[in-house]
Amino acid sequence: MSANSRPSGPQPQSPTYDSAFLRACRREPVPHTPVWFMRQAGRSLPEYLKVREGVPMLESCMRPELVTEITLQPVRRHKVDAAIYFSDIVVPLKAIGVDLDIKPGVGPVVAEPIRRREDLERLRDLTPDDVTYVTEAIGMLTAELGATPLIGFAGAPFTLASYLVEGGPSRNHEHTKALMYGDPELWADLLARLADITSAFLKVQIEAGASAFQLFDSWVGALAPADYRRSVMPASAKVFDAVASYGVPRIHFGVGTGELLGLMGEAGADVVGVDWRVPLDEAARRVGPGKALQGNLDPAVLFAPREAVEAQTDAVLRAAAGLEGHVFTLGHGVLPTTDPDGLPRLVAHVHERTAR
């Protein structure tokens, strides 16, 4: 079914429509501030380590039963207000045949980096048949989740390009920036191709039942605002525009993006994610009206005593008090050695403090 022929997003009769999470994303009144966490499913949970034992990361993303179990684990344990689809940003690249792997302790590693025009030929279009496991897993998840929304997952064009051009994780993104500055036409074509692949990947998730999605631009904080506007924003906007007709909330998040917040909202996000470096009231000023915000407790705070965690959480909630819409998250993902028992306490604390 095409985006134009299907109903736009969760409808009033949908079990997720009146959830606190979707209401906050739509900037409507909520019974309490909704909470979810990036990497809420993962190495901080012993049950995750148990089911992932002996299963490589990319393989775990392609087994519908395993994806379903991993995605549900933090919903059961933490009582969060939304699930996030368990995946990795390089899954759609693997699905179209890019030779890559996720190496433990390193991250995604690409066998042949993309740095020349002829390399673009390796990036073919993604079709639903390439990711049938996604459709199957989301069908299983929505049946289990009921009134709890499922957030779709995808990497943004710049971050995907960075992995492809560098050949793996990079601290300085020197090859990526060399291509962006040195051959802007090739760079634009690369990001446009990745925007099409990302859009297709998100459409599969939305049509399968995802109630919202987050576009992760993990590394875009490495750019100055002028470079973002000129060299990245058109591709991100292309993704948001491609799925706009579905009517699902579109969340945009990057790390170290305090100087880019307004532009990230301008690219087409309905909800702008904020890391812990910028207070939410200041973030709202930078983003401007008409957007909900998501954030932004420092993940490292969870290693402090309970009283300190609650004090820092209350500070975030005070900064969010005047927002049009607020989804409480950490300023980045749950750190691997986080005590998992602290997260349900944090969820309960936010719910109690913000109950209307």
Side-chain angles (χ1 to χ4, degrees):
M1 188 179 294
S2 73
N4 292 325
S5 62
R6 75 174 258 127
S8 294
Q11 298 299 292
Q13 66 272 21
S14 164
T16 66
Y17 183 81
D18 272 327
S19 64
F21 171 75
L22 289 181
R23 290 182 68 87
C25 290
R26 297 193 301 261
R27 295 177 288 119
E28 297 173 357
V30 291
H32 58 260
T33 297
V35 186
W36 74 280
F37 306 112
M38 288 170 272
R39 298 193 191 129
Q40 63 188 18
R43 289 173 290 174
S44 64
L45 298 182
E47 56 266 44
Y48 168 84
L49 297 174
K50 183 177 180 181
V51 298
R52 270 286 317 279
E53 191 172 0
V55 183
M57 177 61 183
L58 279 173
E59 184 180 338
S60 71
C61 295
M62 298 174 188
R63 292 189 188 179
E65 295 85 359
L66 190 54
V67 168
T68 300
E69 169 59 21
I70 291 172
T71 302
L72 290 173
Q73 285 175 349
V75 179
R76 297 188 198 113
R77 180 189 273 261
H78 304 324
K79 304 296 188 285
V80 285
D81 293 280
I84 174 75
Y85 182 72
F86 177 75
S87 188
D88 188 271
I89 61 172
V90 299
V91 164
L93 300 179
K94 184 71 172 180
I96 62 169
V98 176
D99 186 359
L100 59 82
D101 196 12
I102 299 176
K103 296 192 175 180
V106 178
V109 176
V110 179
E112 298 179 59
I114 289 182
R115 296 175 186 171
R116 301 173 301 171
R117 179 156 295 278
E118 50 266 35
D119 294 335
L120 290 183
E121 297 172 7
R122 307 207 307 268
L123 300 178
R124 65 167 177 83
D125 291 341
L126 182 140
T127 72
D129 288 341
D130 294 317
V131 287
T132 54
Y133 48 85
V134 173
T135 301
E136 185 178 348
I138 290 180
M140 296 167 67
L141 277 164
T142 52
E144 289 279 343
L145 286 166
T148 301
L150 176 67
I151 304 169
F153 179 108
F158 174 82
T159 292
L160 293 178
S162 178
Y163 280 117
L164 287 171
V165 174
E166 299 292 338
S170 172
R171 183 180 297 273
N172 298 312
H173 309 281
E174 49 264 54
H175 294 293
T176 305
K177 290 185 178 182
L179 180 60
M180 183 179 74
Y181 294 128
D183 194 338
E185 186 175 335
L186 174 56
W187 173 259
D189 290 345
L190 170 60
L191 261 66
R193 183 77 58 90
L194 291 171
D196 289 338
I197 292 166
T198 298
S199 300
F201 190 53
L202 286 170
K203 287 176 182 179
V204 168
Q205 295 177 55
I206 297 166
E207 293 192 6
S211 296
F213 72 84
Q214 177 158 298
L215 192 66
F216 288 81
D217 215 346
S218 306
W219 305 129
V220 78
L223 297 182
D227 291 329
Y228 177 87
R229 181 183 287 280
R230 178 181 60 250
S231 302
V232 174
M233 190 169 153
S236 295
K238 186 178 184 182
V239 175
F240 288 124
D241 289 346
V243 296
S245 61
Y246 288 95
V248 303
R250 299 164 295 176
I251 310 169
H252 201 11
F253 174 75
V255 183
T257 52
E259 299 300 321
L260 306 178
L261 290 173
L263 293 171
M264 292 175 72
E266 195 178 325
D270 303 300
V271 183
V272 178
V274 184
D275 76 8
W276 67 94
R277 296 171 176 87
V278 180
L280 289 175
D281 48 357
E282 170 60 18
R285 189 190 68 77
R286 297 182 187 188
V287 171
K291 309 287 183 183
L293 295 188
Q294 180 176 275
N296 69 340
L297 184 70
D298 186 337
V301 167
L302 290 170
F303 292 82
R306 181 172 179 172
E307 295 76 13
V309 174
E310 293 180 353
Q312 292 299 313
T313 300
D314 291 344
V316 170
L317 295 175
R318 284 195 299 274
L323 301 184
E324 296 181 62
H326 177 221
V327 177
F328 184 97
T329 60
L330 302 179
H332 195 202
V334 176
L335 296 171
T337 55
T338 301
D339 178 2
D341 292 336
L343 291 167
R345 288 198 298 266
L346 177 56
V347 173
H349 182 79
V350 173
H351 286 175
E352 291 164 8
R353 279 285 197 267
T354 60
R356 271 72 169 182

